[in-house]
Amino acid sequence: MNISCTLCPRQCGASRTDERTCGGCGVTAAPRVARAALHFGEEPCISGQNGSGTVFFSGCPLHCRFCQNHVISQEGFGKEISPARLADIFRELEDAGAHNLNLVSGTQFVPAIRQALSLYRPSVPVVYNSGGYERVETLKTLEGLVDVYLPDFKYADNALGAALSGVPDYADRAAAAVLEMARQTGPMQLDEYGIARRGTMVRHLVLPGHTKNSLAVLDWLAENLPHGCFVSLMFQYTPLRDIDGFPSLSRRLTRREREKVFDHLLDLGLTDGYAQEAESASAVYIPNFDLTGV
């Protein structure tokens, strides 16, 4: 496989091959996977009782300075596999009883994902779990293949996106991406067991010292998110390292910060979805990236 890459909004045009690591995502064209297993750390409508069949891809278009999965997103840990092996992994996760197939940070491997799904399309929903920094043009190539979109909406401020995730246009790109995802799926549909079958759920991680950003994100979602889409408010921020210029990111959220953002969520009527408990802010919820299932 050889890609002159314009998959993500960076549109860096890097010549990515199955052997050459390059571009903003820092990976080759061949899909690189760090873990493929049942995962129970997602929202209830995704994990359910059996777990979500989660494939953690390596590399990422974003360079988030606080990323809890930095070992795979920025350091590139993982094993390169073929689209055929990826299709086999899909089948194995389905056979293990997964409620869905959960593709985490797969933007840089969309062509391989499409090829794998052409080889084996599971009977369970396909979830596209994304940092939210997406090109609408790339998302359109997934229409009919993805059942549930699970994007982040990290920042309402492009300047904050540039400072913390290394991209100058995050807010604009995420807004366009979320609207395209919602257009493709329509409102969230749950089965009789409360498991997502189709729809879009937007996640927002509240950052310590940046509640103003969180309030602005929620304002945008309330004004623009189509009726029936879910919102997941996340209080799981866990400091893993000191971040120069952002001392607040070296601590956990305070109770006052959590309550301020949660109260705003309620005031806006964004009650379709989930809000995490404070206990979710723990490194114990970070997966063990050890090539399980790869």
Side-chain angles (χ1 to χ4, degrees):
M1 188 178 293
N2 192 328
I3 303 174
S4 179
C5 196
T6 58
L7 292 171
C8 86
R10 290 179 181 273
Q11 298 184 69
C12 61
S15 180
R16 294 171 55 210
T17 69
D18 288 348
E19 295 81 27
R20 184 182 180 193
T21 299
C22 62
C25 59
V27 289
T28 65
R32 185 182 298 177
V33 177
R35 180 180 177 86
L38 297 178
H39 183 53
F40 296 88
E42 310 285 31
E43 289 80 359
C45 70
I46 302 296
S47 289
Q49 292 187 344
N50 296 347
S52 177
T54 307
V55 181
F56 288 94
F57 291 99
S58 306
C60 184
L62 295 172
H63 300 160
C64 298
R65 298 171 69 183
F66 52 84
C67 181
Q68 66 179 15
N69 294 345
H70 65 93
V71 171
I72 63 172
S73 66
Q74 297 172 33
E75 298 176 23
F77 174 79
K79 178 181 178 180
E80 291 181 1
I81 61 175
S82 67
R85 172 58 192 146
L86 186 59
D88 287 341
I89 289 173
F90 295 167
R91 187 192 308 271
E92 291 162 9
L93 291 171
E94 182 182 21
D95 289 345
H99 288 297
N100 47 60
L101 181 66
N102 187 352
L103 308 177
V104 180
S105 297
T107 305
Q108 59 277 10
F109 300 121
V110 163
I113 289 171
R114 290 203 312 266
Q115 186 175 346
L117 287 172
S118 73
L119 294 172
Y120 181 71
R121 179 62 189 264
S123 60
V124 295
V126 174
V127 179
Y128 189 80
N129 189 330
S130 160
Y133 191 61
E134 303 283 350
R135 284 192 74 203
V136 168
E137 293 82 357
T138 300
L139 292 174
K140 286 182 176 179
T141 70
L142 293 169
E143 187 164 6
L145 297 176
V146 170
D147 302 291
V148 178
Y149 280 105
L150 193 57
D152 292 335
F153 201 124
K154 299 177 186 292
Y155 317 108
D157 178 5
N158 280 325
L160 189 60
L164 289 179
S165 293
V167 291
D169 55 351
Y170 180 90
D172 298 333
R173 294 295 191 167
V178 165
L179 293 178
E180 171 60 19
M181 293 172 181
R183 181 197 69 79
Q184 289 186 23
T185 66
M188 183 62 74
Q189 301 174 30
L190 307 181
D191 66 15
E192 63 270 31
Y193 303 105
I195 303 300
R197 301 298 302 177
R198 186 171 179 82
T200 294
M201 177 162 56
V202 183
R203 288 170 161 172
H204 174 67
L205 175 66
V206 183
L207 297 175
H210 294 281
T211 56
K212 182 179 179 180
N213 172 63
S214 293
L215 301 185
V217 168
L218 294 179
D219 285 340
W220 187 93
L221 294 176
E223 292 173 7
N224 296 278
L225 197 64
H227 178 71
C229 294
F230 278 20
V231 174
S232 178
L233 188 60
M234 304 170 71
F235 296 128
Q236 70 182 45
Y237 180 81
T238 304
L240 300 177
R241 67 193 72 82
D242 290 335
I243 300 175
D244 293 341
F246 293 89
S248 67
L249 296 184
S250 297
R251 62 170 174 81
R252 287 180 168 83
L253 289 165
T254 65
R255 178 177 178 179
R256 183 172 181 274
E257 287 173 322
R258 293 194 304 271
E259 291 179 346
K260 179 180 180 181
V261 179
F262 180 67
D263 288 346
H264 194 61
L265 177 87
L266 296 181
D267 289 343
L268 292 171
L270 293 172
T271 55
D272 288 336
Y274 307 93
Q276 286 182 332
E277 301 292 339
E279 291 76 13
S280 62
S282 171
V284 72
Y285 293 103
I286 300 174
N288 184 15
F289 300 117
D290 56 2
L291 302 182
T292 293
V294 180

